[in-house]
Amino acid sequence: MKKKKMIILSGPSGSGKTTISNYLLSKIPDLKFSISCTTRNIRNKEKHGKDYYFISVKTFISKIKKSQFVEWEEVYPRVFYGTLKSEIYRIWKENKHILFDIDVKGGLKLKQQFPNNSLSIFIMVNSIKKLRKRLIFRNSENEEKINLRLNKAKKEQEYAKKFDFVILNIDLLKAKKQVTKLVSKFIHHNNNE
Ligand code: 5GP
């Protein structure tokens, strides 16, 4: 039986963590993505049950009341994101390790709840200016939402030191490789206990 582990990938919106997380999933077959619930609108190419469980605010609140989340956050005003407890059981039952792509506060909450079997990695950007460019290039948010994400990013960068590792994403390929190395080492260490 494998020791069940968690990889927590956090960092500002636009830091490249979703790209890095997809790379990790393609390189490490023992890793499975934790599908979060969100109340935000679905974007082009996204799929319900693959990228997120897209649910209404009403359904989200009912899940909070039923204590179905291991953590949840109002990441942006009136936009909720959360990790279901059932998601963790589902993946561990498949005998896989879990990968979370999650905001900074949620990431720290998970680390607190699972201190011994989790690895937390913060993906850092070297400048907010570059982050703005990436968010504009991504073309999924309007100006107002981009500013909201940038303001949040400035605050989030201050939490970096609370993570096990910080990876600076200047060169995406280099960042992908650094993260993969850390994750492989972590999941293969003491894995037969
Ligand atoms: P996006 O709207 O760009 O997909 O995600 C916005 C932010 O919410 C990202 O930082 C993402 O990592 C975070 N996020 C995604 N799922 C969860 C979750 O389950 N809990 C928390 N706290 N944040 C999440």
Side-chain angles (χ1 to χ4, degrees):
M1 177 69 178
K2 281 180 201 154
K3 196 173 177 189
K4 293 159 176 169
K5 295 184 182 172
M6 295 178 162
I7 309 300
I8 303 163
L9 216 54
S10 289
S13 177
S15 62
K17 65 185 188 302
T18 304
T19 311
I20 294 174
S21 125
N22 288 334
Y23 182 83
L24 273 176
L25 292 165
S26 74
K27 292 285 171 196
I28 306 177
D30 267 355
L31 209 54
K32 273 237 156 171
F33 182 62
S34 161
I35 305 164
S36 299
C37 289
T38 182
T39 65
R40 81 151 160 73
N41 293 334
I42 189 162
R43 289 181 195 144
N44 278 348
K45 290 189 188 163
E46 283 183 329
K47 286 204 175 82
H48 175 82
K50 178 178 172 278
D51 300 285
Y52 281 107
Y53 301 114
F54 294 94
I55 61 176
S56 65
V57 173
K58 197 175 159 205
T59 308
F60 199 99
I61 289 170
S62 123
K63 287 182 183 299
I64 296 174
K65 286 186 182 152
K66 291 185 205 150
S67 301
Q68 290 180 354
F69 291 112
V70 62
E71 67 73 39
W72 64 270
E73 290 289 328
E74 187 173 358
V75 174
Y76 306 106
R78 299 295 293 159
V79 190
F80 298 89
Y81 293 77
T83 308
L84 290 169
K85 290 176 185 166
S86 58
E87 196 60 15
I88 294 181
Y89 303 138
R90 175 181 75 80
I91 297 173
W92 277 347
K93 225 169 131 190
E94 289 180 36
N95 216 13
K96 303 275 184 192
H97 305 297
I98 313 178
L99 174 65
F100 299 93
D101 171 339
I102 190 170
D103 94 314
V104 170
K105 280 192 189 158
L108 291 173
K109 274 189 192 164
L110 279 181
K111 180 74 197 177
Q112 236 175 25
Q113 291 183 63
F114 303 91
N116 300 323
N117 55 340
S118 68
L119 173 74
S120 63
I121 304 175
F122 188 97
I123 308 297
M124 183 111 169
V125 284
N126 60 337
S127 87
I128 295 290
K129 236 186 192 169
K130 286 216 171 104
L131 200 59
R132 175 185 286 278
K133 273 193 188 154
R134 275 193 213 159
L135 288 174
I136 292 170
F137 182 73
R138 197 164 81 178
N139 203 19
S140 58
E141 273 86 22
N142 60 27
E143 178 80 20
E144 187 196 339
K145 287 199 174 141
I146 287 178
N147 286 334
L148 209 69
R149 282 175 184 249
L150 287 172
N151 285 334
K152 188 173 159 69
K154 282 181 205 157
K155 287 184 201 141
E156 283 179 330
Q157 299 269 79
E158 291 164 19
Y159 286 95
K161 53 184 174 295
K162 299 194 172 177
F163 283 73
D164 296 330
F165 290 94
V166 177
I167 297 293
L168 186 59
N169 178 14
I170 300 175
D171 173 340
L172 185 59
L173 183 63
K174 197 172 158 199
K176 281 177 180 171
K177 288 191 171 163
Q178 282 176 320
V179 174
T180 309
K181 202 169 162 191
L182 283 175
V183 172
S184 300
K185 196 171 165 199
F186 179 74
I187 61 182
H188 294 124
H189 182 69
N190 288 341
N191 211 14
N192 297 316
E193 285 172 13

